[in-house]
Amino acid sequence: MESNIAKELNGKFKPIVLIKTDKAPENAIGPKSDKGGCIMAFIARVIADRKTAVFTKETCPCNGGKVGLGFGPGFEDEESLENHFCFLSTGIDGCPNKEQYQTFLNYLPEPTKEMFTHGERIFVDYETAKEHITKHRPIYNNEEKYVVFKPLEELEEGEIPSAVIFTINPIELAALIHLDGSCRVDNAYTITAQSAACQDIGNIVFKQAESDNPRPVLGLSDLAGRRHVRRWIPDEYMTYALTWELFLKLEKISENSFFQTKVWEGFKK
């Protein structure tokens, strides 16, 4: 499928899609096991190199990634979840059960151990991390076995993506915010979630699909996740993820929009 929005933006990166399916793609990249790592490196290769990447619950190497792709809650027991709250906040310093967390740390290799000891500081403290994750993080259990990322231009007839993902610089971001805002009467309609980079293109978008008025999700504000994509994606780029319904709506609008004005003409490369 060709995108009129992508044609008008004429950016460095073309859109990709996230598809839930029971059919495994051929010649796809992806992790071989669930033993550590970040899925964003694979997704970056889809964006930059136009590869196809595939994930399953069994091969997704990160618990947060499992949540992002809709493979359940990520953590199967309460102790692991509590340790996760510590990691996302101030590490062992703010952990209410330091002995439990230290036991967990003892099994980690360096430099992973150092990172987990001090925490990622995504949340100011343990309680904030706990409340956010337990009350505001949408959890899905896919009926389908696979989650596939691939270029939009390779979308096959009959396939319906769960997300369409643009990777954009500041001018392209301004254009997409402007395009989306042109059909709304409310305000503050782009979501900037405090979440992992994979969740900004996954479960946060899945949640929007349940709404009668889905909103775009701005991503790659996750500095930890961004570290894993810098080889392929420059620092000034962000992701901008849309539900399929919203993407089709904006595609139609883009055909008679500011893209056809002198203002946008001045930004064209």
Side-chain angles (χ1 to χ4, degrees):
M1 175 182 180
E2 298 298 326
S3 165
N4 187 64
I5 297 173
K7 177 183 175 182
E8 293 288 357
L9 292 177
N10 192 29
K12 179 180 178 67
F13 302 110
K14 302 303 181 185
I16 67 170
V17 293
L18 181 161
I19 300 172
K20 300 177 184 179
T21 179
D22 284 317
K23 181 181 179 181
E26 297 181 0
N27 303 316
I29 62 173
K32 304 303 180 184
S33 71
D34 63 350
K35 302 302 180 183
C38 178
I39 68 173
M40 287 306 300
F42 295 101
I43 296 170
R45 292 180 64 190
V46 181
I47 294 168
D49 299 335
R50 315 315 283 170
K51 301 286 187 180
T52 294
V54 62
F55 303 92
T56 68
K57 185 175 183 179
E58 291 71 33
T59 62
C60 191
C62 167
N63 287 323
K66 290 178 182 177
V67 174
L69 300 187
F71 293 131
F75 299 90
E76 303 300 332
D77 60 78
E78 192 66 28
E79 182 176 314
S80 297
L81 189 57
E82 290 173 358
N83 290 339
H84 190 56
F85 302 152
C86 298
F87 168 59
L88 292 184
S89 54
T90 57
I92 197 166
D93 286 348
C95 195
N97 191 336
K98 289 182 171 57
E99 182 178 350
Q100 172 183 294
Y101 195 64
Q102 184 62 60
T103 300
F104 164 69
L105 292 174
N106 291 340
Y107 287 96
L108 298 178
E110 299 289 352
T112 304
K113 182 177 181 179
E114 180 178 358
M115 179 177 65
F116 274 76
T117 298
H118 300 290
E120 283 195 318
R121 314 296 172 104
I122 292 173
F123 297 101
V124 67
D125 54 33
Y126 175 93
E127 290 301 328
T128 302
K130 180 179 180 180
E131 180 170 358
H132 175 88
I133 292 168
T134 56
K135 295 183 180 180
H136 302 292
R137 177 183 289 181
I139 302 296
Y140 295 89
N141 290 281
N142 299 340
E143 295 181 0
E144 303 84 356
K145 181 176 181 179
Y146 303 100
V147 169
V148 174
F149 290 87
K150 68 179 184 179
L152 174 66
E153 63 267 22
E154 296 182 11
L155 191 68
E156 298 177 5
E157 185 175 353
E159 288 185 317
I160 300 178
S162 295
V164 179
I165 302 144
F166 290 82
T167 304
I168 49 179
N169 65 23
I171 293 299
E172 294 157 9
L173 171 60
L176 287 179
I177 290 175
H178 192 68
L179 181 67
D180 177 73
S182 70
C183 62
R184 299 180 186 270
V185 295
D186 54 355
N187 207 346
Y189 27 75
T190 295
I191 294 173
T192 54
Q194 187 75 341
S195 58
C198 59
Q199 295 175 20
D200 290 330
I201 59 178
N203 64 316
I204 307 298
V205 185
F206 304 163
K207 184 66 176 179
Q208 287 304 300
E210 299 172 3
S211 170
D212 292 333
N213 188 28
R215 295 184 286 168
V217 182
L218 184 65
L220 276 182
S221 57
D222 166 26
L223 295 176
R226 183 177 277 279
R227 289 183 307 152
H228 296 279
V229 308
R230 298 180 83 187
R231 176 179 171 184
W232 299 275
I233 300 174
D235 287 348
E236 65 268 26
Y237 281 78
M238 307 287 284
T239 58
Y240 196 80
L242 312 172
T243 67
W244 180 239
E245 176 188 358
L246 180 57
F247 169 72
L248 293 179
K249 180 179 180 178
L250 296 185
E251 276 287 297
K252 183 66 175 177
I253 291 171
S254 72
E255 297 172 1
N256 184 25
S257 68
F258 72 92
F259 281 133
Q260 288 78 47
T261 67
K262 290 291 185 180
V263 172
W264 182 247
E265 189 73 27
F267 288 102
K268 284 188 174 181
K269 299 178 180 66

